[in-house]
Amino acid sequence: MKRIVMTLALALGMSTGMALAQDCCKKGEGEQKMECCGKMGALDAIMTRTSVRKYKDQEVKPCCVEKMLRAAMAAPSAVNKQPWHFVVVTDRQLISQLSRQAGQSPLLIVVCGDLSKAMQGKGQEYWIQDCSAATENLLLAAHAMGLGAVWTGQWPMDNRYKETQRLLSLPENIVPLATVVIGYPDEQPEPKDKWKPENVSYNKYGASK
């Protein structure tokens, strides 16, 4: 029963979000124009988001791209350093070079850490947590607008992030953490129920309520 409910919620959320996303550039200008992109509730977006790997050959409008980037930049960061940089890729040939999972996707966003903006010393490694939070915000925003997305890792695999640096002509201080493939879904994978009470302790490790 739980699986049926989650499937229905996903279908409803995707159909509603897709209609909103496709219509988001038709009303108003500037901030008002972007406000109509995506109305799915936060908890619904979290519970029904899933990785999408098949996409329609359909452009994602610039206003929706900016909406996702605004959501990503709203993420928390250590000491509010905001040590991130986002590379938006719409060139189809470059997309195929950057991700084997892109398929027909018209859009790819590379989430990078900007080490020149990060904390100094050991705290510099917080950029990983900061950019991970931004990546999750990006995924949730995409889902809320009826788009599909998948997070593919870059850092710390040398063969991955260094090749991305080369393809995008990134300076040494800009380190790719993740490549997010985005597009209108051509599949509707069922969200997984990942709730496991055994992964929770109260007050001390292994203690129940």
Side-chain angles (χ1 to χ4, degrees):
M1 183 65 182
K2 184 185 294 184
R3 178 172 294 181
I4 294 173
V5 171
M6 290 188 70
T7 302
L8 290 172
L10 174 63
L12 178 61
M14 289 183 68
S15 61
T16 301
M18 186 175 294
L20 288 164
Q22 292 173 335
D23 188 55
C24 72
C25 293
K26 296 181 181 178
K27 302 176 183 177
E29 295 295 332
E31 288 290 328
Q32 290 183 343
K33 176 174 66 177
M34 290 187 295
E35 285 177 0
C36 59
C37 292
K39 301 294 183 181
M40 187 184 296
L43 287 177
D44 287 339
I46 291 169
M47 299 306 294
T48 62
R49 188 213 64 81
T50 188
S51 295
V52 173
R53 294 178 174 83
K54 292 182 181 179
Y55 307 91
K56 297 178 181 178
D57 187 7
Q58 180 179 346
E59 178 188 2
V60 178
K61 295 181 180 180
C63 69
C64 293
V65 176
E66 182 172 334
K67 188 76 170 182
M68 287 184 283
L69 292 171
R70 285 175 176 268
M73 294 185 199
S77 63
V79 200
N80 197 31
K81 287 290 187 178
Q82 304 174 40
W84 41 58
H85 188 88
F86 304 88
V87 182
V88 179
V89 183
T90 55
D91 181 274
R92 292 300 182 99
Q93 183 176 353
L94 190 53
I95 288 173
S96 65
Q97 290 177 298
L98 287 165
S99 176
R100 290 178 294 179
Q101 300 191 52
Q104 293 294 316
S105 169
L107 174 67
L108 189 150
I109 297 179
V110 183
V111 182
C112 306
D114 185 344
L115 302 188
S116 69
K117 297 178 182 177
M119 296 175 64
Q120 298 302 305
K122 194 170 183 179
Q124 185 183 63
E125 296 301 305
Y126 281 135
W127 76 266
I128 300 169
Q129 298 179 43
D130 300 338
C131 290
S132 294
T135 304
E136 179 67 3
N137 275 16
L138 182 65
L139 291 169
L140 291 172
H143 177 54
M145 291 190 287
L147 296 163
V150 62
W151 175 335
T152 60
Q154 295 274 325
W155 177 268
M157 307 302 287
D158 289 2
N159 61 323
R160 293 186 182 182
Y161 81 84
K162 288 185 178 180
E163 177 64 6
T164 298
Q165 283 180 317
R166 184 187 70 80
L167 288 169
L168 298 179
S169 301
L170 300 177
E172 188 174 343
N173 63 293
I174 304 296
V175 183
L177 175 82
T179 296
V180 182
V181 182
I182 304 169
Y184 288 97
D186 199 22
E187 62 173 353
Q188 293 190 5
E190 187 176 326
K192 300 178 179 67
D193 183 358
K194 300 179 181 180
W195 169 245
K196 294 181 180 179
E198 63 270 24
N199 289 339
V200 182
S201 297
Y202 293 85
N203 298 313
K204 294 182 180 179
Y205 180 78
S208 58
K209 289 184 180 179

